[in-house]
Amino acid sequence: ILSFGNIMIFETVYKIRFGDIDQAQVVYYPRFFNYYHTALEDFFGNCHSQTYPDLIVKQKIGFPIVNISANFYIPFSYGDTLRIQLAVIHIGNKSVKIKYKAFKNDLKDVAAEAIITTAIIDLVRFKGIDIPKDLRIFLEKYHAEAGF
């Protein structure tokens, strides 16, 4: 967890594995969406009172992606370190928008980034629901301006 004044940002680190790269010897771009989702799971597992599987299985709350925008600037290769930072940039009534920034090794420049909007749904009825109060309070702790 990184803190910038009153803004908290979650950070997690991964190593690029052989299975992540393509024939051009760089990370195949769809893998980033898996990295971002894994970062979201780590975010809940490390920062929330319930893990992501607990929310899905026990609470029956789902987080389907409804919109995604991504940019890629610097390629990653086998053995590189991938640091992902995430912050909540918008909390709606029934959705949340999270921005992800990926950094390569110790570089300061953003290597890739995405903004992903997820709906909050009841998995039993598969319909949108208002964000539960405890989840909203948690998300608000990591709310940053869109400029993050």
Side-chain angles (χ1 to χ4, degrees):
I1 299 170
L2 305 172
S3 182
F4 299 95
N6 61 350
I7 297 172
M8 292 184 7
I9 296 169
F10 177 73
E11 182 175 84
T12 190
V13 178
Y14 306 103
K15 202 67 154 165
I16 301 301
R17 305 289 179 189
F18 181 76
D20 296 330
I21 61 173
D22 60 17
Q23 293 239 338
Q25 303 301 306
V26 297
V27 171
Y28 183 49
Y29 75 92
R31 296 287 300 146
F32 280 91
F33 300 118
N34 185 63
Y35 298 143
Y36 297 144
H37 182 79
T38 302
L40 180 67
E41 289 186 29
D42 291 349
F43 173 55
F44 280 103
N46 290 296
C47 302
H48 192 262
S49 60
Q50 296 183 70
T51 65
Y52 190 82
D54 285 343
L55 291 165
I56 301 279
V57 176
K58 294 178 182 173
Q59 299 296 318
K60 305 288 187 217
I61 297 172
F63 303 88
I65 293 173
V66 295
N67 191 294
I68 192 165
S69 170
N71 293 298
F72 305 93
Y73 309 111
I74 301 170
F76 285 77
S77 299
Y78 177 62
D80 285 337
T81 299
L82 166 63
R83 289 183 299 114
I84 296 178
Q85 295 177 356
L86 75 81
V88 176
I89 60 171
H90 178 75
I91 304 169
N93 292 325
K94 298 180 181 194
S95 67
V96 63
K97 189 180 290 189
I98 298 176
K99 185 167 185 177
Y100 299 82
K101 289 184 178 181
F103 298 88
K104 180 178 178 176
N105 300 322
D106 292 328
L107 297 177
K108 303 284 186 230
D109 293 331
V110 175
E113 61 187 344
I115 297 175
I116 300 174
T117 304
T118 62
I120 310 299
I121 67 167
D122 174 338
L123 286 172
V124 174
R125 296 185 352 253
F126 220 78
K127 293 200 178 223
I129 58 170
D130 287 339
I131 299 173
K133 185 177 181 179
D134 62 325
L135 183 56
R136 179 176 290 280
I137 290 168
F138 167 70
L139 293 169
E140 286 172 349
K141 287 184 197 175
Y142 293 87
H143 187 259
E145 297 300 319
F148 155 75

